[in-house]
Amino acid sequence: MGNLVAIVGRPNVGKSTLFNRLTKTRQAIVSNEAGTTRDRQYGKCEWNGKEFSVVDTGGWVVNSDDVFEEEIRKQVIIATEEADLVLFLCDISNGVTGWDMDVAQILRRAKLPVILVANKADDGRDLYDQYDFYKLGLGDPYPISAATGSGTGDLLDKVLEMLPEKGNDDAEDGIPRFAVVGRPNAGKSSLINAFIGEERHIVTDIAGTTRDSIYTRYDKFGFDFYLVDTAGIRRKNKVTEDLEFYSVMRSIRSIENSDVCILMIDATRGIEAQDMNIFQLIQKNNKSLVVVVNKWDLVEDKSQVVIDTFTNAIRQRMAPFVDFPIIFASALTKQRIFKVLETAKQVYLNRKARIGTTKLNEVMLPLIEAFPPPSVKGKFIKIKYVSQVPDTQIPTFVFYANLPQYVKEPYKRFLENKIRENWTLTGSPINVFIRQK
């Protein structure tokens, strides 16, 4: 299972720049406006064949001066509780500030590896300034320049060396893992309790390798799966205000450890920005999805019109991925709880679906002939053959064409939609690749 690395530090020390450098993206558009989407603070980093997740805590700070440092301090505490390793970023040109001393104190108390990173070492002279950072009591500082990338290789070597070895999960393979995720108060714990109910003794708890994902084996009524239960664990010191950052950190854990995510949305509040953040985490990790609109018992008007409006609103927000089931349920009255399990199981099976090559070509080639990819610069693109790649995480289809580089995103989406129309892959993401024949 993946490790989680958190980047912490004062504003403007270059957290986003380092995040972009590690995840090889330019996503973290550095913007301090509250309400800009925050899903871009999470990404994957690969180094020497190992992969780990990176979270840039800077993106979650509420932008107001009086609570600024207090907010960041809270996030440092959350990060130390949820991550496997912390990168503490300081600015070499500013030297050590009083605030850095405070954070260092929190980090020294935390029982997890910390790497002190002295950023903005763009100039040979700066290297002398790194010795100032020894007084933080966090070991050797790593001088880097996130902007130019110098020193980041050594830093990554050190990260891999200090990350705890993750063994394979205790949860056996071949048994699906369902994670219940959603905003705080969407009803995750109630749903898990409704599943497991009074018959808790049928349930076996396996503590996952990650800090807090507990796998609960659910083996009755013809179901057999693990619930990746993160809702039931409360952290030690209650950081009450910063729920959003906390719930994202917590969701990353459970989403990465699951096959199918059951995303809970509160019927009384509709779909909110934070639901979208969690949805984007599910998509980034290529997980299957079931959306549960919970607290349906509290909605007065349950007419079909209301259901349709709600359904359309959810699909519009989550487009272009719209092929997933939506269930209106109530964890409290246990209305349609069983349906949630059946659907999650079906979605898991869809994820494992195999489509024979002959059948694929029989259906898809005539469709492609009727709607060929638009020609580019007078060149005609011909797709000759399609097959499904065996043994992939999610259904993956390869179309072989003479000019694969000219097949653009909209056409790939067309192909994906046609596959979905002809085979049941509801809830599961699909990969479509165009290759040289």
Side-chain angles (χ1 to χ4, degrees), residues 383-404:
I383 295 178
K384 292 285 203 255
Y385 178 76
V386 52
S387 69
Q388 185 179 357
V389 185
D391 305 324
T392 47
Q393 277 273 284
I394 58 172
T396 301
F397 300 92
V398 178
F399 291 81
Y400 293 93
N402 55 346
L403 300 163

Side-chain angles (χ1 to χ4, degrees), residues 74-128:
K74 270 191 233 136
Q75 289 187 7
V76 172
I77 294 170
I78 294 172
T80 56
E81 289 176 4
E82 294 295 327
D84 297 303
L85 178 137
V86 169
L87 294 179
F88 178 29
L89 210 56
C90 300
D91 180 342
I92 207 163
S93 50
N94 284 353
V96 175
T97 65
W99 192 83
D100 290 334
M101 297 293 275
D102 287 356
V103 172
Q105 196 176 356
I106 299 172
L107 292 176
R108 283 198 305 271
R109 282 193 214 120
K111 306 266 184 295
L112 89 164
V114 175
I115 300 178
L116 179 58
V117 184
N119 188 25
K120 307 196 183 174
D122 305 306
D123 181 334
R125 287 180 310 232
D126 293 331
L127 295 181
Y128 292 110

Side-chain angles (χ1 to χ4, degrees), residues 268-427:
T268 59
R269 300 183 55 169
I271 187 163
E272 298 185 342
Q274 205 174 340
D275 299 315
M276 292 308 296
N277 283 337
I278 294 173
F279 170 68
Q280 275 148 349
L281 290 176
I282 296 171
Q283 276 216 299
K284 275 191 182 157
N285 281 291
N286 277 335
K287 302 300 181 189
S288 302
L289 174 68
V290 176
V291 172
V292 175
V293 180
N294 189 29
K295 308 190 186 176
W296 193 236
D297 52 314
L298 303 177
V299 175
E300 313 227 316
D301 180 2
K302 297 187 176 60
S303 65
Q304 193 56 44
V305 178
V306 174
I307 292 180
D308 291 346
T309 313
F310 216 116
T311 308
N312 291 339
I314 293 174
R315 295 208 195 279
Q316 269 169 2
R317 289 292 296 275
M318 297 187 179
F321 178 44
V322 290
D323 188 15
F324 54 84
I326 299 177
I327 299 164
F328 292 84
S330 161
L332 208 62
T333 63
K334 300 201 176 174
Q335 177 191 14
R336 283 197 276 285
I337 286 301
F338 209 65
K339 177 93 190 286
V340 174
L341 288 184
E342 282 175 348
T343 310
K345 181 178 170 182
Q346 187 53 51
V347 162
Y348 175 74
L349 295 174
N350 294 350
R351 188 185 177 82
K352 297 269 171 274
R354 302 273 317 128
I355 302 169
T357 307
T358 336
K359 194 86 192 102
L360 254 179
N361 284 286
E362 270 173 23
V363 174
M364 293 303 291
L365 291 182
L367 286 171
I368 292 168
E369 228 156 85
F371 291 97
S375 60
V376 177
K377 302 180 185 143
K379 294 190 172 67
F380 290 100
I381 303 158
K382 290 192 174 54
I383 295 178
K384 292 285 203 255
Y385 178 76
V386 52
S387 69
Q388 185 179 357
V389 185
D391 305 324
T392 47
Q393 277 273 284
I394 58 172
T396 301
F397 300 92
V398 178
F399 291 81
Y400 293 93
N402 55 346
L403 300 163
Q405 65 277 22
Y406 289 140
V407 180
K408 297 287 186 281
E409 210 43 59
Y411 195 76
K412 285 189 194 167
R413 210 167 290 150
F414 162 78
L415 294 174
E416 177 182 328
N417 291 340
K418 289 299 169 205
I419 293 172
R420 289 187 185 279
E421 278 169 30
N422 287 283
W423 290 278
T424 311
L425 295 168
T426 304

Side-chain angles (χ1 to χ4, degrees), residues 229-249:
D229 178 1
T230 45
I233 295 116
R234 285 288 153 265
R235 61 190 182 291
K236 297 165 290 297
N237 35 5
K238 292 262 193 286
V239 181
T240 40
E241 292 83 344
D242 212 343
L243 268 176
E244 176 167 6
F245 175 61
Y246 176 65
S247 68
V248 170
M249 288 288 279

Side-chain angles (χ1 to χ4, degrees), residues 25-290:
T25 54
R26 294 242 174 98
Q27 298 174 310
I29 301 164
V30 191
S31 137
N32 288 338
E33 277 180 44
T36 42
T37 48
R38 301 197 178 141
D39 66 300
R40 52 173 73 107
Q41 315 303 347
Y42 159 82
K44 297 251 195 286
C45 172
E46 200 179 291
W47 185 250
N48 285 348
K50 291 209 173 67
E51 194 183 59
F52 55 88
S53 301
V54 189
V55 175
D56 165 16
T57 59
W60 269 277
V61 171
V62 179
N63 191 21
S64 58
D65 302 332
D66 47 332
V67 289
F68 213 51
E69 301 204 333
E70 193 41 47
E71 283 288 318
I72 302 170
R73 200 169 288 126
K74 270 191 233 136
Q75 289 187 7
V76 172
I77 294 170
I78 294 172
T80 56
E81 289 176 4
E82 294 295 327
D84 297 303
L85 178 137
V86 169
L87 294 179
F88 178 29
L89 210 56
C90 300
D91 180 342
I92 207 163
S93 50
N94 284 353
V96 175
T97 65
W99 192 83
D100 290 334
M101 297 293 275
D102 287 356
V103 172
Q105 196 176 356
I106 299 172
L107 292 176
R108 283 198 305 271
R109 282 193 214 120
K111 306 266 184 295
L112 89 164
V114 175
I115 300 178
L116 179 58
V117 184
N119 188 25
K120 307 196 183 174
D122 305 306
D123 181 334
R125 287 180 310 232
D126 293 331
L127 295 181
Y128 292 110
D129 301 331
Q130 66 176 314
Y131 300 112
D132 191 23
F133 289 94
Y134 278 102
K135 66 180 173 206
L136 292 174
L138 291 169
D140 298 329
Y142 273 71
I144 66 157
S145 164
T148 64
S150 79
T152 46
D154 296 347
L155 175 64
L156 281 166
D157 289 341
K158 184 71 178 165
V159 168
L160 291 188
E161 183 191 313
M162 290 179 72
L163 276 176
E165 272 300 308
K166 292 275 169 113
N168 270 344
D169 296 322
D170 299 358
E172 302 127 59
D173 268 349
I175 297 176
R177 285 178 288 202
F178 299 162
V180 179
V181 294
R183 255 180 330 156
N185 284 341
K188 298 185 290 292
S189 306
S190 323
L191 185 71
I192 289 169
N193 291 343
F195 284 160
I196 296 165
E198 317 63 46
E199 304 109 345
R200 246 186 202 280
H201 54 274
I202 309 181
V203 166
T204 51
D205 278 352
I206 303 176
T209 36
T210 43
R211 214 51 90 65
D212 61 350
S213 287
I214 302 274
Y215 291 113
T216 308
R217 180 81 174 263
Y218 182 101
D219 186 0
K220 53 176 191 272
F221 306 132
F223 290 109
D224 187 5
F225 58 86
Y226 285 108
L227 268 175
V228 186
D229 178 1
T230 45
I233 295 116
R234 285 288 153 265
R235 61 190 182 291
K236 297 165 290 297
N237 35 5
K238 292 262 193 286
V239 181
T240 40
E241 292 83 344
D242 212 343
L243 268 176
E244 176 167 6
F245 175 61
Y246 176 65
S247 68
V248 170
M249 288 288 279
R250 180 52 59 84
S251 304
I252 290 172
R253 280 278 186 235
S254 30
I255 290 169
E256 288 185 348
N257 295 346
S258 69
D259 298 307
V260 178
C261 295
I262 299 171
L263 173 60
M264 311 272 297
I265 292 177
D266 184 334
T268 59
R269 300 183 55 169
I271 187 163
E272 298 185 342
Q274 205 174 340
D275 299 315
M276 292 308 296
N277 283 337
I278 294 173
F279 170 68
Q280 275 148 349
L281 290 176
I282 296 171
Q283 276 216 299
K284 275 191 182 157
N285 281 291
N286 277 335
K287 302 300 181 189
S288 302
L289 174 68
V290 176

